[in-house]
Structures are given as structure tokens and as C-alpha cells.
């Protein structure tokens, strides 16, 4: 039986969201389908780029958000009757 995979399946594989059985079938597909392999390699590059661009908020931003949250809670007490 010939198994076909979608680009979504390959992306799931890149993010390690596939089962062991799917992994084996996708790996076999990568060996036999050059277009699938090219897409897989492109997605690996995209993932690496996204991982590198992941940034953390500054301490100042975190402090501002927490201060706003504390202030909001103090000024908007809910009256339970």
C-alpha cells in the first residue's frame, strides 16, 4: 500500500507531533520522494528561524503588566451578594 502524506503531516513530523508508526512511514517517504524531502528541509529551516526569533519581554514590560494587573484588581473589586 502506498501511503501519501500532506504538508501538514510533514510539519507535524518537524515538530515531533507524529506517532512512532507515522515517523517510520514519513521517513520512508522522505527517502523516496524528493519533493517531500525538499519541503521537509524547508520546514526545518523555517523552524530554526522561528526558534531564533523567539524573544522574551523585557523586565520593564513584565513589571508594567504586573503593576497594571494589581491596580486593576484593586480598583475593580467585584461585589458578591
Amino acid at each position: 500500500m502506498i501511503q501519501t502524506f500532506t504538508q501538514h503531516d510533514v510539519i507535524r513530523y518537524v515538530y515531533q507531533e507524529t506517532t512512532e508508526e507515522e515517523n517510520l512511514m514519513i521517513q520512508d517517504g522522505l527517502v523516496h520522494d524528493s519533493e517531500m524531502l525538499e519541503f521537509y528541509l524547508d520546514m526545518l529551516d523555517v523552524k530554526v528561524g522561528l526558534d531564533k526569533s523567539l524573544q522574551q519581554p523585557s523586565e520593564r514590560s513584565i513589571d508594567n503588566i504586573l503593576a497594571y494587573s494589581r491596580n486593576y484588581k484593586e480598583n475593580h473589586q467585584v461585589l458578591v451578594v
Side-chain angles (χ1 to χ4, degrees), residues 31-73:
V31 170
H32 294 97
D33 184 340
S34 61
E35 288 182 30
M36 182 178 172
L37 178 60
E38 185 175 339
F39 180 76
Y40 167 72
L41 294 173
D42 288 344
M43 290 304 98
L44 282 179
D45 286 343
V46 168
K47 182 180 183 303
V48 167
L50 287 172
D51 290 345
K52 284 182 181 178
S53 70
L54 185 64
Q55 298 183 8
Q56 299 294 323
S58 68
E59 285 296 319
R60 182 177 176 204
S61 293
I62 293 171
D63 291 341
N64 287 340
I65 292 168
L66 292 174
Y68 177 85
S69 179
R70 283 189 293 274
N71 186 41
Y72 184 85
K73 184 177 177 183

Side-chain angles (χ1 to χ4, degrees), residues 9 15 19-20 22 25 30 44 54 65 70 74 76:
D9 295 322
Y15 282 91
T19 65
E20 285 297 321
E22 289 174 311
M25 290 188 291
L30 292 172
L44 282 179
L54 185 64
I65 292 168
R70 283 189 293 274
E74 292 169 2
H76 295 90

Side-chain angles (χ1 to χ4, degrees), residues 73-81:
K73 184 177 177 183
E74 292 169 2
N75 292 328
H76 295 90
Q77 294 288 328
V78 176
L79 180 61
V80 178
V81 183

